[in-house]
Amino acid sequence: MQAITKTMIEEAASFIRRTTDVRPEIGLILGSGLGVLGEELEDAVTIPYEDIPHFPVSTVEGHAGELLIGQLQGRNVMLMRGRFHMYEGYEPERTALPVRVMKALGVDKLLVTNAAGGINLDFAAGNLMLISDHINLTGRNPLIGPNDNALGVRFPDMSEAYSRRLRGIAKETAKELGFELKEGVYVGLLGPNYETPAEIRMLRTLGADAVGMSTVSEVIVARHSGIEVLGISCISNAAAGILDQPLSHEEVVETTERVKEQFLSLVLSVLPKM
Ligand code: R1P
């Protein structure tokens, strides 16, 4: 597969610029079943991913596969209803291409969301978790290959991958809204099979609180690009081995549907303060 080049990023960005006068400042990536937020946008332009030059297409249920640009809570946003995963066959740099395009369009803050399995025994399905940090266990990295210094430095700092400032805002907002916001470390795996109970025990020992198959590549590219990141996981189920029941993507999407009101109120209240 062809590596991502500056020309490809610029072609995707100019296509999007031609569809709207809105210049986005905040990017949102909505995880499995969380696309409902897109319905809140005002004066939105909707672009199917397949129309955007060089964009991959979404192949996973619960990922609509469209980009929305418009206003949300008075902020100009670019919102992705659905994302790309490496298990779909995409190279890590391609899963994160939308983040490069966001940066080219002027985005400097990213809210990344996902559905994740709860590893921490204090978590229950339906909890929202603020991502404090991540562990990239995919064995892949979107920055492999020659580095383009115009896009970012060769060795990006990841000591505050998830912005302390934005985490503070999210915690304060959840408190004001009167609901519990968990906080923890997200571990990104390649997937697509769910983890075994032994893997979950290992991940817990390593310090992970929630597990999923996305997010880490997007956040690595965001930090490489100098974008400030806020991450929220919806704990969609207890990870393998905690409850005596098999895991399914249907359950993941059902849980995100169940918590959508809380998810919406948190994100809509955080956005104006970002
Ligand atoms: C598994 O049910 C799917 O849900 C999560 C996992 O990563 C996997 O794709 O999706 P998002 O991370 O895209 O929310």
Side-chain angles (χ1 to χ4, degrees), residues 31-32 63 83 85 87 113-115 186 194 212-215 249 252:
S32 288
H63 291 256
R83 61 148 60 81
H85 308 82
Y87 64 72
T113 69
N114 56 54
Y186 175 91
Y194 292 115
M213 308 165 195
S214 68
T215 304
H249 189 58
V252 168

Side-chain angles (χ1 to χ4, degrees), residues 29 41 55 74 81 114 119 134 142 174 184 186 191 204-205 212 225 273:
I29 301 179
L41 247 72
F55 252 55
R81 276 181 124 175
N114 56 54
I119 295 177
H134 78 216
Y186 175 91
R204 189 178 295 121
T205 308
S225 313
K273 305 181 199 163

Side-chain angles (χ1 to χ4, degrees), residues 57-61 63 83-85 87-88 90:
V57 292
S58 289
T59 66
V60 183
E61 191 213 320
H63 291 256
R83 61 148 60 81
F84 314 115
H85 308 82
Y87 64 72
E88 295 173 81
Y90 298 124

Side-chain angles (χ1 to χ4, degrees), residues 90-200:
Y90 298 124
E91 293 297 319
E93 63 269 33
R94 194 163 287 264
T95 66
L97 170 65
V99 180
R100 294 278 185 219
V101 175
M102 284 177 183
K103 176 72 183 183
L105 291 169
V107 165
D108 60 3
K109 290 171 208 76
L110 173 68
L111 171 54
V112 67
T113 69
N114 56 54
I119 295 177
N120 186 319
L121 298 172
D122 291 335
F123 292 0
N127 285 161
L128 295 179
M129 182 191 91
L130 184 61
I131 305 178
S132 56
D133 205 348
H134 78 216
I135 301 174
N136 176 15
L137 276 192
T138 64
R140 310 292 308 277
N141 194 299
L143 306 182
I144 297 284
N147 187 62
D148 184 341
N149 290 320
L151 298 179
V153 296
R154 171 78 285 186
F155 302 110
D157 173 44
M158 292 291 283
S159 54
E160 202 186 309
Y162 298 82
S163 157
R164 186 170 295 135
R165 182 185 79 84
L166 295 179
R167 275 186 280 144
I169 292 172
K171 280 194 260 192
E172 200 183 279
T173 307
K175 211 165 147 189
E176 281 162 17
L177 292 170
F179 62 69
E180 194 187 3
L181 182 61
K182 304 283 189 187
E183 187 170 7
V185 173
Y186 175 91
V187 59
L189 266 59
L190 208 46
N193 60 282
Y194 292 115
E195 306 70 35
T196 65
E199 286 165 346
I200 292 299

